[in-house]
Amino acid sequence: MLVFASDASGKVVSINNVKNGKACNCFCIACNDPLVARNGGTINAHSFAHTTKEESRTCLMTALHRYAQEYFLTAKTINLPAITISHRGYSKTEPSRKALINSAKLEYSIHNKYIADVKLETDVGDLLVEIKVTSPCSAEKINFYREKKIASLEYDLSVYIDSDYADVNCALKHNDDTSSWLFGWCEDQLREEINQKVELNQIEMNKKIRQQIEESRQRALRKFNNLKKRQQLKIPSHSIEFNHDINGKNYDLSAQVVKSKSIKFEKVSLEVEHEHFLLLKCIAFNKSNQERVLNIALLFQHDIPDILKKESGQIIVGRIKKSKHFKFEWLNFTPPRSALERAKFTAITEKEKQLEKYKFIEQVTNYADIYALEQDRYFSNDYPKWKIWLASQSDMAPNENFNVKNPKYPALLKTNNSHPQLWMFDRWYILIFSKLAEFIDSYPINTPIDTKYIFELLKNEFPPSHNYNFFVEQADKMNVSYKLEHLLKPESIINTCLSFFEEKLAVVKESNYFVRKYDLKIQMLPAGN
């Protein structure tokens, strides 16, 4: 819809500001074809029509671009959209505001290099305006504006090619959403304000750092006086990392070449008072009465100064922690070759022992897991014995399934059928649970159950595997009994079994022991059909 044209004098006019029909005496801005104004009706939108040529999209785009340019020739103000910049880790925004337009020039040449659509002189300075109808400003042109710090604003009117006069005017006047800064009119000012803020922050930070350094220096001096008075320091341990192959597998190991211990000094002196640390010289004598010199650097800040890293000899550095106390660690320490070899040998030996422990734990666990998975192997031998046990329990409550030919598994143990804790007895778990229930039912109601004694009764009934005593002995020697309690310790084994009866409230745990609440053998009756 063509709503802009040029009159006989070449001035751009809108459809609402001319006479109707051919009397408008207007021409297409793009192709110069005479136009007819259709603005006499009240139903259809007003627009111009070509008389001898076809209206093309170029006609619409050229007319819109030309109108937007000449809009600024009569405009009194321009809306400057908000500007936000990010600089040195901060962001700052200048809100949108109105600027007064003092003068406007079209097709303005910039340094004989580029042509701007409009140049405005405003009360905040010169401003270039670019109008985008089809193509935006080139990257080269934008870079030029930014390098030369030329305030410039681009209007995007590409969606208004077919719009009417009122919409175009609104887009030009209220341009927060239709324009964007190529280079903001106050970018330099915002950047300078951020620079000032950063500099002020840096000044304040430096002041705090100097205060912290001075406080740390005073603490270091107090620590020096304390060492000088006590002539004793607990030196830190020191380890050296290395790799070693054990049974074809490589391990990362740590050789402790220095153990943490207290050392008595004969003399403590302040050798260097640096801006970042105090360097103390401490003299001690070893068991052979040989003099040993130890340098201690009390740091004022966390980072180790380069000058200390270049120092030769043994140096311990002390850093102040949040607790305001010094924490010491070795900076330079080269142990004697013999000491290093001994430390490595110790680390390798400890790792080998650890691997032996893991292997042993895995061995015991595998025994128990195999037992739990192979219950079918025990069934054929012990199922008949369980039937005999059932028949022998004349004191059990009557049950319709009691004397059946092939009694079913007790409901309690039908789904709870994995019991690796019973591996040492090498018998069918249901038979073991049945005897366990029989033994516990001999206890009076509400009497604490002696789990260790119950385990001994089961051992008498089902002599344990010869591996059991061996594993118990080995676990004690290797100091891993605590990791295998559930498979080796009598109390833990019986407690695990009782936990299943606890679900049925046949037993209740009180403090560190179980008490019987009613007969456990009832839970061992065959399940119904």
Side-chain angles (χ1 to χ4, degrees):
M1 182 170 61
L2 189 61
V3 295
F4 304 113
S6 61
D7 61 15
S9 66
K11 179 182 176 182
V12 177
V13 293
S14 71
I15 187 62
N16 292 339
N17 294 328
V18 297
K19 293 181 180 180
N20 188 41
K22 292 184 178 181
C24 68
N25 197 23
C26 292
F27 302 87
C28 176
I29 298 174
C31 66
N32 205 34
D33 190 45
L35 301 177
V36 175
R38 297 182 295 196
N39 59 2
T42 58
I43 298 177
N44 295 325
H46 297 177
S47 64
F48 290 105
H50 285 65
T51 56
T52 64
K53 297 180 181 179
E54 287 290 332
E55 181 181 289
S56 69
R57 194 158 184 80
T58 301
C59 298
L60 299 176
M61 294 187 294
T62 303
L64 175 59
H65 189 273
R66 180 69 180 279
Y67 176 77
Q69 285 181 286
E70 295 201 4
Y71 165 86
F72 291 102
L73 293 176
T74 57
K76 301 298 181 184
T77 62
I78 181 173
N79 177 59
L80 304 177
I83 300 175
T84 298
I85 68 163
S86 296
H87 179 57
R88 300 180 71 175
Y90 292 88
S91 63
K92 194 169 180 63
T93 299
E94 176 70 19
S96 62
R97 54 160 291 181
K98 298 289 184 184
L100 296 177
I101 298 176
N102 299 322
S103 66
K105 294 180 182 179
L106 306 185
E107 303 295 327
Y108 182 77
S109 176
I110 312 143
H111 296 232
N112 294 321
K113 186 175 180 68
Y114 295 105
I115 301 296
D117 288 327
V118 184
K119 180 201 175 185
L120 301 178
E121 292 182 2
T122 74
D123 60 343
V124 299
D126 292 349
L127 173 64
L128 300 184
V129 176
E130 299 287 355
I131 309 297
K132 172 190 171 183
V133 174
T134 53
S135 301
C137 279
S138 66
E140 292 80 5
K141 192 173 186 180
I142 294 173
N143 289 336
F144 176 80
Y145 285 160
R146 296 198 64 80
E147 288 173 4
K148 299 297 181 180
K149 298 184 178 182
I150 299 173
S152 44
L153 188 65
E154 183 176 58
Y155 280 75
D156 184 359
L157 301 181
S158 56
V159 297
Y160 292 91
I161 294 174
D162 292 310
S163 299
D164 61 21
Y165 163 79
D167 289 342
V168 174
N169 260 23
C170 183
L172 290 167
K173 187 174 182 180
H174 306 289
N175 60 317
D176 284 317
D177 296 326
T178 56
S179 65
S180 57
W181 290 102
L182 304 179
F183 185 80
W185 67 275
C186 61
E187 274 196 38
D188 280 347
Q189 177 186 336
L190 294 177
R191 196 169 281 106
E192 180 58 29
E193 289 176 6
I194 289 177
N195 285 337
Q196 292 176 5
K197 180 178 180 178
V198 170
E199 289 169 5
L200 288 174
N201 288 348
Q202 189 63 49
I203 291 172
E204 187 63 28
M205 185 180 295
N206 290 339
K207 181 180 177 181
K208 288 182 178 179
I209 291 173
R210 286 194 298 272
Q211 289 176 346
Q212 290 172 354
I213 290 176
E214 179 57 27
E215 290 174 2
S216 297
R217 192 180 75 85
Q218 293 299 326
R219 287 196 182 92
L221 286 170
R222 288 195 293 271
K223 184 65 176 178
F224 161 61
N225 290 326
N226 181 269
L227 284 173
K228 190 175 181 181
K229 181 179 178 181
R230 296 180 58 200
Q231 293 190 320
Q232 184 172 318
L233 176 70
K234 186 175 183 180
I235 63 171
S237 62
H238 183 64
S239 298
I240 294 177
E241 310 302 317
F242 69 102
N243 300 100
H244 185 72
D245 189 90
I246 301 176
N247 296 327
K249 187 173 181 180
N250 191 265
Y251 293 93
D252 294 327
L253 302 179
S254 179
Q256 189 181 65
V257 291
V258 178
K259 294 182 179 180
S260 178
K261 59 183 178 181
S262 293
I263 290 184
K264 188 75 175 177
F265 298 116
E266 293 297 322
K267 183 180 179 182
V268 178
S269 59
L270 177 59
E271 292 293 295
V272 177
E273 188 168 355
H274 191 269
E275 61 178 323
H276 296 302
F277 61 87
L278 299 182
L279 185 61
L280 313 183
K281 181 180 180 181
C282 304
I283 299 176
F285 291 93
N286 60 19
K287 294 180 180 179
S288 302
N289 205 33
Q290 294 176 321
E291 183 179 282
R292 179 184 178 186
V293 176
L294 184 63
N295 296 311
I296 299 176
L298 303 176
L299 305 184
F300 303 158
Q301 293 178 286
H302 184 272
D303 294 336
I304 298 174
D306 291 337
I307 190 174
L308 279 180
K309 295 177 182 177
K310 298 175 183 177
E311 280 285 328
S312 59
Q314 298 180 356
I315 298 180
I316 292 176
V317 295
R319 291 186 176 92
I320 299 176
K321 297 300 180 181
K322 290 182 180 180
S323 62
K324 307 303 181 185
H325 296 293
F326 279 91
K327 183 176 181 180
F328 295 94
E329 63 182 58
W330 288 94
L331 174 61
N332 293 336
F333 183 81
T334 303
R337 183 177 180 83
S338 59
L340 178 58
E341 291 304 317
R342 283 196 303 272
K344 285 185 174 182
F345 177 78
T346 300
I348 293 169
T349 302
E350 289 178 353
K351 185 63 179 180
E352 289 173 341
K353 289 180 178 179
Q354 183 188 59
L355 293 175
E356 287 180 8
K357 290 179 181 180
Y358 290 158
K359 185 177 180 180
F360 173 71
I361 291 171
E362 183 179 12
Q363 182 184 11
V364 176
T365 304
N366 285 342
Y367 261 87
D369 289 342
I370 291 172
Y371 164 79
L373 292 171
E374 293 188 349
Q375 284 302 303
D376 288 344
R377 182 165 63 89
Y378 300 102
F379 172 81
S380 59
N381 183 61
D382 286 342
Y383 181 70
K385 293 181 175 60
W386 180 56
K387 289 168 60 176
I388 294 172
W389 178 84
L390 287 173
S392 69
Q393 305 303 311
S394 58
D395 59 332
M396 293 175 69
N399 184 284
E400 60 181 359
N401 303 299
F402 186 79
N403 290 314
V404 295
K405 184 177 180 181
N406 297 307
K408 294 185 177 182
Y409 286 20
L412 177 67
L413 301 177
K414 190 173 184 179
T415 53
N416 298 319
N417 57 4
S418 179
H419 298 278
Q421 77 276 9
L422 300 175
W423 70 273
M424 70 290 301
F425 299 119
D426 207 26
R427 301 293 292 273
W428 190 39
Y429 74 99
I430 289 180
L431 181 61
I432 299 172
F433 264 92
S434 298
K435 293 301 292 185
L436 172 72
E438 178 185 339
F439 293 148
I440 291 176
D441 281 352
S442 65
Y443 275 80
I445 298 295
N446 293 326
T447 301
I449 299 170
D450 185 344
T451 51
K452 195 170 184 179
Y453 174 68
I454 295 296
F455 186 80
E456 290 299 317
L457 293 177
L458 286 176
K459 281 175 63 178
N460 292 333
E461 186 72 26
F462 309 108
S465 162
H466 69 278
N467 283 320
Y468 176 69
N469 290 331
F470 172 73
F471 286 162
V472 170
E473 183 180 342
Q474 286 296 105
D476 288 338
K477 285 182 180 179
M478 292 184 172
N479 196 28
V480 293
S481 297
Y482 68 100
K483 287 185 173 292
L484 292 168
E485 280 189 356
H486 62 298
L487 298 177
L488 298 179
K489 188 177 180 181
E491 297 92 326
S492 297
I493 293 168
I494 301 303
N495 281 337
T496 300
C497 296
L498 290 178
S499 64
F500 294 98
F501 292 101
E502 186 180 20
E503 295 175 6
K504 301 297 183 179
L505 301 180
V507 295
V508 175
K509 195 165 190 178
E510 296 181 359
S511 186
N512 296 323
Y513 53 85
F514 280 101
V515 296
R516 184 171 74 91
K517 289 299 180 179
Y518 65 84
D519 287 351
L520 275 63
K521 287 187 294 186
I522 294 175
Q523 297 299 327
M524 301 311 298
L525 290 173
N529 294 323

